[in-house]
Amino acid sequence: MAQYDYDLFVIGGGSGGVRAARVAAALGKRVALAEEFRFGGTCVIRGCVPKKLYVYASQFPEHFEDAAGYGWTVGEAKFDWAALVANKEREISRLEAIYKRNVEGSGGETIHSRAVLVDSHTIRIEAENRTVTADQILIATGGRAAAHPALPGHEHCIYSNEVFDLAELPKAILIEGGGYIAVEFANIFHGLGVETTLVYRGKEILSRFDMDLRRTLHDTMVAKGIRILCPAVSEEVVKRADGRLDARLNTGEVLTVDQVMLAIGRTPNTENLGLEAAGVVMDRQGAIVVDRFSRTNVQNVWAVGDVTNRVQLTPVAIHEAMCFIETAFKNNPTEPDHDCVATAVFSQPEIGTVGLSEDEAAKRFKHLEIYRTSFRPMRHTLSGRQEKMLMKLVVDGDTRLVLGAHVLGPDAGEMAQLLGITLKAGLTKDDFDRTMAVHPTAAEELVTMYKPTYLVKEGVRIDG
Ligand SMILES: Cc1cc2nc3c(=O)[nH]c(=O)nc-3n(C[C@H](O)[C@H](O)[C@H](O)COP(=O)(O)OP(=O)(O)OC[C@H]3O[C@@H](n4cnc5c(N)ncnc54)[C@H](O)[C@@H]3O)c2cc1C
């Protein structure tokens, strides 16, 4: 191994790369990690973390409104976008420093530069115009918001990267897309008082989630005042003389807004990375093709996280990195487990979900029992807010195995984390029934739905 400068060279200092570099260094390996932008990657700098902070910011107006029912009189509230952006920046800078320090503290070297492959053992450090060699190479370069060059006027649009640092809060925004990033930002901007329109080409927002949740969230967002146009697409974005934007939709409608945000998917960061020179194979979307151990077709080159386009979530990138360490450095081949990944959408109300949707389960199982309840959460009784909470368990009628658990409402993401354990453990509806409720909570409904709301037999719903 000493013939190389490093035992492991990691390209990309995001969720997956930082974890792999830190743990390999702690094992005593000679490790270097190159990051071209900011350590922490998408999650810390322009993804999960700042997004969640903005979600919190956007929830205060409803909290202020709801307070009245609890006896509070709240004075005039004012929002300062610049203060939020500055405070967010302070927090992500703190995290960025921790990420970098953790790698260095474990004995790894951090390099602030773009890195590209020269061949399967050689990496060019672009900022320093030098090359280094490594025995093993891990590519963890993540992804970025997909561009939309076919849209005339796309150069006037912003993506999730820019949205966090806008010079000023727009008065009106159009968000194009129906995935979780589009939906979350529609709720954030609406909560901050921005006139918000979500335009999505599909029939219903949030494909792949349970249809009940999708429809109920859609209706709730509309009731709050968010316009959702689907199916619809923008066909042209024109900059006006006053600096605002006219977005012309395929429906003929023209929307005048201050910003158009495109959130139409993610593209793996594989361009100009030297993959061809190293002989690493990509798929048609440009994602790196890996085997079940995250190894590419080149024996000593591995890839984890969003760049492999498996499940694009931070905990998954970290898990893949940990499995890579086991396989490459601990002589313990370990496959990442992508089954039953619990996830949240930080919409308002929030979604927490794990396992199969009803539609997906109906394709795979002959007999389903669906347990479903919809109710006003206790916190809304005095506030007067009409929003409903929705909970749903999808159960295999033959084995009683809980196949899917879906929640829409306050703290749904927190519930999904715990529901994830139950589904991963392969618990049955009987286990749920045997579990004592925690009272008074919303989550107690998950263990007190004793009778199926309806059955699904051979794909056909049977009520009563
Ligand atoms: C707006 C938004 C919200 C999100 N919210 C959530 C959420 O709530 N929950 C969740 O689980 N996931 C969320 N995600 C997804 C999550 O951020 C990603 O799944 C995760 O960051 C992937 O980690 P990664 O290590 O694969 O890549 P990344 O974190 O993207 O890191 C890749 C790093 O590589 C660097 N890089 C790229 N090319 C090079 C090169 N040639 N040389 C050097 N450095 C390079 C990049 O600058 C980047 O820092 C969100 C994403 C976005 C965009």
Side-chain angles (χ1 to χ4, degrees):
M1 275 203 198
Q3 70 190 92
Y4 299 110
D5 298 324
Y6 299 103
D7 299 320
L8 172 65
F9 195 99
V10 181
I11 306 181
S15 308
V18 165
R19 176 59 66 93
R22 176 166 72 75
V23 178
L27 289 173
K29 302 294 171 191
R30 295 169 306 141
V31 177
L33 167 66
E35 166 55 51
E36 66 176 343
F37 181 56
R38 295 177 69 178
F39 286 90
T42 304
C43 172
V44 172
I45 307 299
R46 40 202 185 185
C48 335
V49 174
K51 182 227 16 220
K52 189 87 190 271
L53 295 174
Y54 283 24
V55 169
Y56 287 135
S58 69
Q59 288 172 335
F60 282 97
E62 285 197 356
H63 294 328
F64 299 149
E65 277 173 32
D66 292 353
Y70 288 89
W72 288 93
T73 303
V74 180
E76 191 201 350
K78 277 197 188 143
F79 175 65
D80 181 346
W81 169 255
L84 173 65
V85 174
N87 292 343
K88 173 272 298 177
E89 185 51 41
R90 200 181 56 232
E91 174 57 9
I92 65 171
S93 297
R94 185 183 74 83
L95 295 173
E96 181 185 7
I98 292 174
Y99 269 65
K100 190 165 180 286
R101 211 165 48 230
N102 282 348
V103 175
E104 292 164 355
S106 304
E109 181 185 336
T110 56
I111 300 171
H112 193 196
S113 170
R114 180 168 175 79
V116 300
L117 297 174
V118 176
D119 61 40
S120 61
H121 285 286
T122 312
I123 306 105
R124 171 169 294 283
I125 314 291
E126 294 208 325
E128 300 169 11
N129 200 19
R130 64 182 173 107
T131 55
V132 296
T133 59
D135 181 35
Q136 305 292 317
I137 295 173
L138 177 68
I139 302 170
T141 50
R144 61 183 186 283
H148 192 358
L151 174 70
H154 65 95
E155 65 277 11
H156 306 307
C157 302
I158 57 165
Y159 298 89
S160 61
N161 279 1
E162 296 81 40
V163 78
F164 291 109
D165 295 301
L166 293 174
E168 54 187 55
L169 185 67
K171 289 198 170 49
I173 191 165
L174 182 160
I175 300 176
E176 183 104 13
Y180 76 92
I181 294 175
V183 168
E184 289 173 341
F185 274 98
N187 283 279
I188 288 171
F189 280 113
H190 171 75
L192 295 178
V194 178
E195 189 187 317
T196 303
T197 308
L198 186 65
V199 174
Y200 177 47
R201 66 177 176 174
K203 283 200 184 119
E204 186 54 281
I205 56 172
L206 293 175
S207 63
R208 292 203 297 270
F209 288 80
D210 188 89
M211 191 51 96
D212 239 346
L213 264 59
R214 296 166 68 188
R215 287 204 191 107
T216 313
L217 177 62
H218 181 140
D219 292 346
T220 313
M221 285 171 64
V222 170
K224 280 179 194 285
I226 300 171
R227 266 190 98 198
I228 302 181
L229 306 177
C230 63
V233 283
S234 296
E235 288 192 330
E236 188 181 24
V237 178
V238 177
K239 189 147 200 162
R240 297 158 36 122
D242 62 3
R244 304 190 81 199
L245 301 171
D246 279 340
R248 186 172 50 78
L249 310 187
N250 64 338
T251 56
E253 187 177 352
V254 176
L255 291 170
T256 303
V257 293
D258 303 289
Q259 296 287 353
V260 174
M261 174 181 169
L262 301 179
I264 54 170
R266 307 272 303 160
T267 305
N269 283 328
T270 47
E271 280 110 348
N272 306 319
L273 195 55
L275 294 173
E276 298 81 359
V280 174
V281 167
M282 288 170 275
D283 69 14
R284 286 165 65 171
Q285 277 77 45
I288 295 180
V289 177
V290 288
D291 69 9
R292 53 203 176 94
F293 298 103
S294 302
R295 194 194 290 262
T296 70
N297 60 307
V298 178
Q299 186 71 9
N300 68 306
V301 180
W302 311 71
V304 295
D306 285 6
V307 75
T308 61
N309 202 8
R310 287 176 280 183
V311 180
Q312 298 192 347
L313 291 170
T314 284
V316 176
I318 292 172
H319 170 67
E320 289 169 359
M322 295 302 284
C323 294
F324 154 73
I325 293 288
E326 289 293 322
T327 306
F329 294 114
K330 290 178 144 182
N331 199 22
N332 176 29
T334 306
E335 292 177 35
D337 179 357
H338 296 114
D339 188 40
C340 248
V341 176
T343 183
V345 179
F346 296 101
S347 44
Q348 298 170 40
E350 203 167 289
I351 282 180
T353 183
V354 58
L356 299 180
S357 66
E358 179 184 329
D359 289 345
E360 202 49 48
K363 283 184 209 154
R364 301 197 213 169
F365 294 84
K366 277 188 173 167
H367 304 132
L368 295 180
E369 293 174 0
I370 307 296
Y371 298 79
R372 181 190 189 281
T373 178
S374 170
F375 57 96
R376 192 143 76 121
M378 192 175 183
R379 69 158 77 171
H380 291 337
T381 52
L382 295 197
S383 75
R385 194 167 290 285
Q386 293 305 315
E387 264 173 52
K388 290 273 181 73
M389 187 147 192
L390 172 65
M391 292 185 181
K392 185 168 172 180
L393 295 177
V394 179
V395 176
D396 177 6
D398 293 328
T399 62
R400 308 276 293 150
L401 205 64
V402 179
L403 305 170
H406 311 285
V407 181
L408 176 78
D411 303 320
E414 304 289 340
M415 288 180 212
Q417 182 63 82
L418 303 179
L419 286 166
I421 301 171
T422 66
L423 265 76
K424 204 73 199 154
L427 298 189
T428 63
K429 181 64 174 58
D430 303 318
D431 296 312
F432 276 61
D433 292 346
R434 288 191 295 117
T435 303
M436 196 66 76
V438 179
H439 184 73
T441 64
E444 67 184 300
E445 297 291 329
L446 289 164
V447 294
T448 53
M449 293 187 280
Y450 297 115
K451 287 226 163 77
T453 315
Y454 56 93
L455 306 176
V456 180
K457 292 208 165 167
E458 314 268 357
V460 178
R461 175 174 166 156
I462 300 165
D463 287 284

